[in-house]
């Protein structure tokens, strides 16, 4: 019988836990565990099964989901499975040690002699060929399995990381309409006091894309609220109270901005906390990002249902009004009509929504 593999879960060069294929685990640094990975040290059969299930799920979150455009082409191009289950996706992530551009966690086999400096994506090269595959779905026979590392980028629009001298930047396609929506939303967002990712126009292979800088590094990671909720549940923490005590301003500004730009994609995997890697603790909400599904449900003043609430039910207008009542509008400059030149049909509704919120200020 083949010997069971033992995986070591690493935070940079710190070994925080180990787990065998049978589910038996040992936790060395509980405070440095991944937020969405819960393991228990027990030989109870149910606990062992849960440990393996949770480990496979965590690994699977570090590879893209197959609803992303070109996902199958990407997997075909690197000669890997078109994985469906968590276990299958976990195998893909483990093949490149679960490295990611969202945080500094990774996985190695027990006694494997390798360091964070050799595997992390902030210092190690990504083949440029992968950009073509991710953005355009081109078919290549790629021998380097480590191109799979970029599969940790989630979302439904074509996207790819590109290394520049000053770090990585994210290129996003999805057609000119999606790109223009993101660019317009970013211009509006800059007129308000909120932590945000800046999106600029660029071109790839002759087509327009939006480009943004990576907000993570060896110093800071991001944790989605979906992952933070798993952590909160397993540690009896009230997520709403914690988020409001951590970064009340940016939480309410997120609801204000999403209403103004008609963003319908602020699910719990699309916002979360910025974590300082030196202690694995949250600093604030991470920068507001992902605007390429803005200006939807934009034909009425109410907007769509607000997705960022904790058990409450209200539309985006109601959530934005409540947020203005809490912290004010925090507009720092006027929104010029000129920024709507590519999407002029949205200007009238934007003005209506902005005036409504201005009238709610004390």
């Amino acid at each position: 019988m083949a010997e069971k593999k033992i995986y070591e879960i690493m935070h940079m060069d710190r070994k925080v836990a180990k787990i065998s294929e049978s589910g038996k685990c040992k936790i060395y640094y509980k405070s440095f565990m991944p937020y969405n990975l819960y393991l228990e040290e027990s030989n109870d059969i149910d606990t062992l099964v849960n440990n393996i299930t949770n480990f496979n799920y965590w690994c699977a979150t570090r590879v893209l989901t197959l609803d992303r455009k070109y996902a199958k082409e990407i997997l075909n191009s690197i000669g890997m499975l078109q994985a469906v289950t968590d276990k299958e996706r976990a195998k893909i992530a483990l093949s490149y040690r679960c490295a990611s551009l969202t945080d500094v966690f990774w996985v190695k086999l027990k006694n494997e002699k390798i360091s964070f400096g050799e595997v992390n994506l902030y210092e190690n090269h990504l083949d440029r060929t992968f950009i073509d595959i991710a953005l355009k779905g081109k078919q290549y026979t790629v021998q380097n399995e480590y191109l799979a590392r970029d599969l940790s980028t989630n979302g439904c629009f074509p996207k790819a990381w590109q290394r520049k001298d000053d770090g990585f930047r994210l290129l996003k396609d999805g057609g000119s309409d999606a790109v223009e929506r993101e660019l317009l939303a970013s211009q509006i967002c800059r007129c308000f006091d909120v932590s945000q990712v800046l999106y600029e126009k660029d071109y790839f292979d002759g087509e327009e894309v939006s480009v943004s800088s990576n907000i993570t590094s060896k110093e800071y990671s991001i944790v989605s609220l979906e992952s933070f909720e798993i952590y909160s549940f397993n540690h009896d923490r009230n997520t709403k109270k914690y988020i409001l005590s951590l970064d009340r301003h940016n939480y309410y500004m997120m609801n204000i901005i999403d209403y103004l730009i008609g963003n319908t994609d602020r699910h719990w995997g699309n916002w979360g906390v910025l974590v300082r890697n030196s202690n694995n603790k949250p600093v604030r909400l991470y920068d507001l990002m992902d605007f390429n599904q803005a200006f939807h449900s934009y034909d009425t003043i109410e907007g769509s249902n607000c997705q960022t609430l904790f058990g409450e039910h209200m539309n985006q207008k109601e959530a934005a009004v409540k947020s203005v009542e809490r912290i004010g509008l925090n507009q720092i400059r006027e929104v010029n009509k000129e920024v709507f030149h590519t999407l002029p049909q949205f200007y009238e509704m934007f003005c209506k929504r902005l005036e409504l919120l201005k009238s709610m200020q004390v």
Side-chain angles (χ1 to χ4, degrees), residues 22 68 104 106 197 255 267 298 331 336 355:
S22 64
R68 173 164 153 208
V104 293
W106 58 291
V197 171
N255 291 333
H267 54 79
Y298 213 61
Q331 186 172 0
N336 294 324
E355 289 305 312

Side-chain angles (χ1 to χ4, degrees), residues 6-228:
I6 297 177
Y7 295 103
E8 295 179 340
I9 300 161
M10 307 294 295
H11 180 274
M12 301 185 78
D13 283 317
R14 183 194 302 266
K15 181 171 67 175
V16 299
K18 68 177 181 180
I19 181 171
S20 72
E21 290 182 311
S22 64
K24 187 174 182 179
C25 76
K26 174 69 176 176
I27 299 173
Y28 301 103
Y29 291 96
K30 188 174 181 179
S31 62
F32 279 88
M33 284 287 289
Y35 278 67
N36 58 337
L37 175 57
Y38 184 72
L39 301 176
E40 289 185 287
E41 296 179 359
S42 172
N43 290 323
D44 175 76
I45 186 64
D46 290 335
T47 300
L48 296 177
V49 171
N50 286 337
N51 284 345
I52 285 296
T53 300
N54 293 344
F55 180 65
N56 282 335
Y57 167 79
W58 177 73
C59 293
T61 64
R62 305 176 75 77
V63 71
L64 91 170
T65 54
L66 284 182
D67 60 351
R68 173 164 153 208
K69 193 174 180 181
Y70 301 139
K72 292 186 177 182
E73 287 87 345
I74 292 171
L75 293 175
N76 282 340
S77 296
I78 59 176
M80 288 188 164
L81 295 172
Q82 295 184 11
V84 176
T85 67
D86 282 349
K87 186 175 181 179
E88 290 169 334
R89 290 198 297 272
K91 287 182 179 179
I92 294 174
L94 286 167
S95 74
Y96 51 90
R97 298 187 176 87
C98 294
S100 172
L101 276 171
T102 61
D103 57 42
V104 293
F105 290 103
W106 58 291
V107 176
K108 69 183 184 72
L109 290 172
K110 182 181 178 182
N111 298 323
E112 187 178 6
K113 303 300 182 184
I114 191 167
S115 69
F116 180 69
E118 296 174 84
V119 303
N120 79 82
L121 303 186
Y122 302 108
E123 299 173 298
N124 295 285
H125 182 66
L126 282 175
D127 193 312
R128 192 187 181 284
T129 302
F130 190 75
I131 296 176
D132 286 336
I133 300 171
L135 285 176
K136 301 301 177 185
K138 295 179 180 179
Q139 289 293 309
Y140 292 100
T141 301
V142 181
Q143 300 302 319
N144 184 3
E145 67 177 3
Y146 295 102
L147 293 177
R149 287 170 172 168
D150 191 55
L151 299 184
S152 60
T153 303
N154 291 315
C156 62
F157 286 90
K159 57 186 71 173
W161 291 105
Q162 182 182 60
R163 183 186 292 279
K164 305 294 284 186
D165 291 340
D166 58 349
F168 277 98
R169 63 179 194 160
L170 183 63
L171 283 64
K172 296 171 67 176
D173 195 355
S176 60
D177 183 65
V179 171
E180 291 295 345
R181 287 169 186 260
E182 184 149 70
L183 295 173
L184 173 56
S186 182
Q187 289 298 317
I188 294 171
C189 193
R190 295 173 205 220
C191 298
F192 295 84
D193 178 20
V194 60
S195 299
Q196 60 191 275
V197 171
L198 303 180
Y199 291 91
E200 306 288 353
K201 180 187 293 188
D202 207 332
Y203 292 88
F204 178 82
D205 200 21
E207 293 189 23
E208 187 178 283
V209 296
S210 66
V211 175
S212 61
S213 298
N214 187 22
I215 65 171
T216 64
S217 64
K218 291 192 294 181
E219 287 72 41
Y220 292 98
S221 298
I222 58 174
V223 175
S224 70
L225 202 75
E226 184 177 46
S227 297
F228 191 80

Side-chain angles (χ1 to χ4, degrees), residues 142-362:
V142 181
Q143 300 302 319
N144 184 3
E145 67 177 3
Y146 295 102
L147 293 177
R149 287 170 172 168
D150 191 55
L151 299 184
S152 60
T153 303
N154 291 315
C156 62
F157 286 90
K159 57 186 71 173
W161 291 105
Q162 182 182 60
R163 183 186 292 279
K164 305 294 284 186
D165 291 340
D166 58 349
F168 277 98
R169 63 179 194 160
L170 183 63
L171 283 64
K172 296 171 67 176
D173 195 355
S176 60
D177 183 65
V179 171
E180 291 295 345
R181 287 169 186 260
E182 184 149 70
L183 295 173
L184 173 56
S186 182
Q187 289 298 317
I188 294 171
C189 193
R190 295 173 205 220
C191 298
F192 295 84
D193 178 20
V194 60
S195 299
Q196 60 191 275
V197 171
L198 303 180
Y199 291 91
E200 306 288 353
K201 180 187 293 188
D202 207 332
Y203 292 88
F204 178 82
D205 200 21
E207 293 189 23
E208 187 178 283
V209 296
S210 66
V211 175
S212 61
S213 298
N214 187 22
I215 65 171
T216 64
S217 64
K218 291 192 294 181
E219 287 72 41
Y220 292 98
S221 298
I222 58 174
V223 175
S224 70
L225 202 75
E226 184 177 46
S227 297
F228 191 80
E229 177 71 0
I230 294 173
Y231 172 86
S232 297
F233 177 81
N234 289 317
H235 293 82
D236 295 320
R237 172 172 283 176
N238 184 302
T239 305
K240 179 180 179 180
K241 287 183 179 179
Y242 184 86
I243 292 299
L244 289 178
S245 66
L246 177 72
D247 195 353
R248 181 173 179 266
H249 176 84
N250 278 309
Y251 171 75
Y252 286 125
M253 284 306 301
M254 173 174 60
N255 291 333
I256 291 170
I257 294 296
D258 280 347
Y259 172 63
L260 288 175
I261 66 172
N263 180 33
T264 59
D265 195 35
R266 192 67 61 201
H267 54 79
W268 280 30
N270 220 359
W271 65 286
V273 297
L274 185 73
V275 171
R276 182 177 287 112
N277 292 334
S278 61
N279 58 13
N280 200 35
K281 294 185 181 300
V283 178
R284 58 172 173 81
L285 293 188
Y286 64 67
D287 297 356
L288 205 57
M289 63 174 69
D290 276 347
F291 301 137
N292 49 11
Q293 294 199 56
F295 307 104
H296 292 286
S297 291
Y298 213 61
D299 53 344
T300 67
I301 196 72
E302 288 79 15
S304 63
N305 290 329
C306 183
Q307 298 175 293
T308 62
L309 305 178
F310 299 90
E312 299 176 84
H313 297 282
M314 60 180 72
N315 60 40
Q316 286 181 310
K317 184 193 81 171
E318 293 168 329
V321 168
K322 178 180 177 180
S323 296
V324 170
E325 292 172 347
R326 296 289 190 274
I327 64 169
L329 185 57
N330 295 292
Q331 186 172 0
I332 56 177
R333 66 178 63 90
E334 291 300 314
V335 180
N336 294 324
K337 184 177 181 179
E338 288 73 23
V339 301
F340 287 83
H341 70 280
T342 58
L343 297 167
Q345 67 271 28
F346 298 134
Y347 181 66
E348 183 179 355
M349 179 56 69
F350 169 77
C351 290
K352 288 181 179 179
R353 293 188 179 195
L354 180 60
E355 289 305 312
L356 184 150
L357 295 187
K358 283 181 176 180
S359 70
M360 296 297 164
Q361 295 188 101
V362 177

